[in-house]
Amino acid sequence: MKKPIFMKYVQLLIISFLMFNTTTILIYGSNVNQIEKELPPPLNIDMILEETIFRRMSVREFTDNPVSDEELSTILWAAFGLREDGKHTISKINNTHAAIIYVINEEAAYKYNPENHSLVIFKEGDFRGNLVRIQYDAPYQIGLCWDADKADPNQGGVELGQIGQNIQFMANALNLGTVVTGEIPPAIERLGLPDNEQGLILMPLGYPAIQYDFIDRPMWISLLPKIKLSVNSLTYSLENLNENENINGDLTDQEISQIIWSSYGFSNYIDNSEQEPVHLRRHRTVPSAHGYYPFEIYVITDEGIFRYYHNILIDIISKYFPVLNSPVDFFGLPIITFLSKVKTGDFREEIAEITSEPNINDAPLIIIPVLNLENAKELSIESAIRFWFYEAGASAHNIMLESTALDLSSRIIYPINSDSINNVLELNENYIPSLIIAVGK
Ligand SMILES: Cc1cc2nc3c(=O)[nH]c(=O)nc-3n(C[C@H](O)[C@H](O)[C@H](O)COP(=O)(O)O)c2cc1C
């Protein structure tokens, strides 16, 4: 039977209405959340680990030159990518990973998905202007957040400190630049994060407006052996980083010196680049909010407890010329470094007991970065402590990277009983022992 022509119209209308709505549902049903942008495989970067540490510095001015997808892919893989063994490129804190990374460029804000090394659209549009202060304009902004259902702010800080180090090292190895920036409330939260997520850090990423310019001039005055290049690259350490349960054996003086230095020491290199607005001449292995460097590094061996002095000249200058405000090196001074004994005796068992980690009993080296709240000045308030845990995470991660480059084992432990650790170190309540890192074979 033949249908009247208007019925055909009605049918067509219904079909196209349904088709339109189905397509709409498909697009919105997949909710921009599901739209993924695959990243190319990361580049193979063979810069020796210690060189990437010597070159670590903040860059705050960028050119408009684009960052390639390959470069971005390499930096994100280093940051928090998955390796062939299914582990991430950083250590778990308290057996958990809670990190979330946002990547923001002129097109959209994306979330990094390490599972299949891709970017998932979070919001379309250019949000960079909403997030940053003008001098930090760059092709990319990278936002570091943590899942508050999985970690508290200090644990989140530690995990993000490891990620921030990987981003800064890898960016620098690619001749790109970045700076860690932290605000209260965090800039990345202006993006409108899901309820369970908390922001901490924003890192611009691009080509430095002022080229890197380093000279190798350690001027190392110390009984500790001078820092040398190992044979392994940053990529090697990221691929082989392992949280070992049992840590024991013996270490050479060279190994001990390299590992302690990686936690908080000064670079062998002098920076001649005259970056704006802050021009430091000798950088340190980790960044520090306001350049305050408020940590004291304690070292425990079978012989006793020692405090690591990274450069006594800087300590003297910042004490007698408080106008300089921070223990940073504006001059390129010689590095006068040493370990000063706090206590004689073997306290490793006590530390193992306090932390409920019997397996570090025989660790030849235990390092504890302790926050001195007095040195944190106005940033010793509760809401800023997470930034110091970021710095502790950066320092601990350096120890893990350096140990791995020397083919040693290491492990980060999140302390549960700060008062008892302070008792062993003979410190009062103005100190917060942030992490315990055991190193050995
Ligand atoms: C948690 C944290 C927050 C920081 N916040 C800022 C910031 O908001 N703006 C900035 O320019 N630098 C910031 N920095 C970078 C420090 O100023 C820098 O690391 C320090 O001055 C030493 O300089 P260098 O990294 O070039 O060696 C921050 C560093 C850390 C670790």
Side-chain angles (χ1 to χ4, degrees), residues 56 58 60 133 136 179-182 280 283 287-289 293 387:
R56 193 216 60 79
S58 301
R60 297 176 175 85
R133 288 165 274 178
Y136 301 146
V179 57
V180 175
T181 71
L280 300 185
H283 299 271
S288 183
Y293 291 99
F387 290 117

Side-chain angles (χ1 to χ4, degrees), residues 193-223:
L193 304 180
D195 287 346
N196 60 317
E197 294 182 17
Q198 297 215 3
L200 191 70
I201 298 293
L202 195 67
M203 300 177 77
L205 176 71
Y207 277 94
I210 301 164
Q211 298 296 305
Y212 290 116
D213 183 3
F214 295 107
I215 321 176
D216 185 7
R217 193 172 293 156
M219 299 192 282
W220 182 266
I221 303 171
S222 180
L223 292 176

Side-chain angles (χ1 to χ4, degrees), residues 51-58 165 168-169 172 214 267 283-288 293 398:
E51 191 176 350
T52 67
I53 303 181
F54 291 156
R55 290 167 58 97
R56 193 216 60 79
M57 58 180 279
S58 301
Q165 280 302 88
Q168 199 160 41
F169 288 147
N172 187 305
F214 295 107
S267 171
H283 299 271
R284 289 165 79 153
T285 58
V286 294
S288 183
Y293 291 99
N398 277 12

Side-chain angles (χ1 to χ4, degrees), residues 181-192:
T181 71
E183 283 177 52
I184 305 174
I188 186 67
E189 292 191 349
R190 298 202 274 277
L191 200 59

